[in-house]
Amino acid sequence: MLKPIIVSLITDISNTTKSSIPIASRLPFNVEYGEKFNQYIYPIAMHNYMAVFTRSFATIAVDNLYYVLIQHACGMFSIIGNVLENIGKNNANDFNAKSDKIKDNNYNKTLHCLRRHLDVIEFAENIEELFTKIFLINLNLNMICGSLAGVQVLMNLEKNASDISVPIIIYTAQFIHLFLHFWNAQFLLDYSVLPYKSICKIHLQYKLITSERCKKLLLLIMSRTISPCRITAGKVATLSIERFGVENITLLFDSFSSFFASLVLIYK
């Protein structure tokens, strides 16, 4: 949808008038309407933009669902960590460690956090199960489309700037789209260990004055939190900012190196 704007800007910079820009190049993609094309240019343009929007609406809907589910899981981990951080905080030094289970408020809070923690872990595993195959396909398609965009740029180096701008815009959009997937997966990695950090914090700062049964529940939560929840691509690669930097930044530098090497060979 940005193609007509970019083409118009590039053509204006080239010291030409807007009237010299072909009408067909102002549309998102090429269409054939015969001799009446110029007569019905505005309805055709509206149809073009609606087609682009409806084609991308499914991707937008799935991505927004993924972002919302991840943020909900992170919020639940944050709530559990906040509750755990306040357990045993206000207990006195003469606290009875062998009090009745019904009257032990810290035990009841910890038991509730344990149950909610298991529910959130199951929820995160369901998210991973739902999107793991999609991300595997998405990663492979991004690599293929990125390579095709680079080949298209190299083939159109000696032509108009508009022929180069379109594949560069497409590659940039794919790069940002992939980054958002890795970025949200990193949120889940970080927030899923919050309960562990909260328990360690109350143990160090407040010496964890609670009953023995409460401490056993806290150990169960800690043992499960050691392995953080993660989003994977086909159960093969874990999505994280570190993984994104290692793979995609390297691929980007390789693409730029090949691009400049091709420029040198062409001008030689």
Side-chain angles (χ1 to χ4, degrees), residues 2-236:
L2 290 174
K3 175 188 172 184
I5 301 173
I6 299 297
V7 170
S8 300
L9 291 174
I10 292 174
T11 310
D12 288 342
I13 294 173
S14 305
N15 296 323
T16 59
T17 60
K18 292 184 179 180
S19 60
S20 64
I21 307 173
I23 297 178
S25 65
R26 302 181 188 181
L27 300 177
F29 51 87
N30 296 326
V31 292
E32 292 292 339
Y33 280 89
E35 297 179 355
K36 296 184 178 180
F37 178 80
N38 295 334
Q39 184 179 355
Y40 299 103
I41 180 63
Y42 292 109
I44 292 171
M46 291 178 60
H47 179 265
N48 264 239
Y49 281 104
M50 289 177 63
V52 172
F53 177 76
T54 53
R55 187 174 59 182
S56 59
F57 182 78
T59 302
I60 295 172
V62 172
D63 286 346
N64 284 328
L65 175 64
Y66 168 68
Y67 302 149
V68 170
L69 293 177
I70 291 292
Q71 294 302 320
H72 176 69
C74 293
M76 294 301 296
F77 279 121
S78 181
I79 292 171
I80 294 170
N82 184 59
V83 175
L84 290 173
E85 194 171 328
N86 294 312
I87 289 177
K89 183 177 180 179
N90 299 320
N91 289 342
N93 292 328
D94 57 349
F95 174 76
N96 185 10
K98 296 183 180 180
S99 61
D100 187 62
K101 184 183 294 186
I102 299 176
K103 299 179 180 179
D104 193 350
N105 292 327
N106 292 328
Y107 173 78
N108 293 327
K109 288 181 180 179
T110 308
L111 182 60
H112 178 74
C113 288
L114 176 62
R115 290 170 177 170
R116 298 287 78 78
H117 187 241
L118 293 175
D119 290 340
V120 180
I121 289 175
E122 183 180 1
F123 179 69
E125 290 175 349
N126 289 333
I127 298 174
E128 199 274 336
E129 189 69 26
L130 179 63
F131 288 97
T132 181
K133 295 180 181 178
I134 297 175
F135 288 148
L136 180 63
I137 298 172
N138 190 19
L139 287 175
N140 291 325
L141 287 178
N142 270 275
M143 293 179 62
I144 296 172
C145 293
S147 301
L148 292 176
V151 171
Q152 195 172 357
V153 169
L154 293 176
M155 291 175 62
N156 297 319
L157 280 177
E158 297 180 354
K159 298 181 180 180
N160 296 329
S162 60
D163 296 328
I164 302 176
S165 63
V166 175
I168 292 177
I169 292 171
I170 293 174
Y171 180 77
T172 305
Q174 291 173 347
F175 192 78
I176 296 173
H177 184 224
L178 200 62
F179 171 75
L180 292 175
H181 288 166
F182 280 80
W183 187 33
N184 281 271
Q186 183 65 46
F187 275 120
L188 187 62
L189 277 172
D190 295 338
Y191 276 83
S192 62
V193 297
L194 271 182
Y196 181 89
K197 293 180 179 179
S198 300
I199 296 173
C200 293
K201 186 176 181 180
I202 60 174
H203 181 72
L204 293 174
Q205 294 186 1
Y206 309 113
K207 297 182 180 179
L208 199 58
I209 305 173
T210 56
S211 61
E212 292 298 325
R213 65 174 73 93
C214 181
K215 291 181 179 178
K216 291 180 180 178
L217 292 180
L218 292 173
L219 287 174
L220 286 175
I221 296 175
M222 292 179 70
S223 63
R224 182 59 185 87
T225 317
I226 291 175
S227 177
C229 299
R230 61 189 75 228
I231 304 296
T232 63
K235 308 288 184 181
V236 177

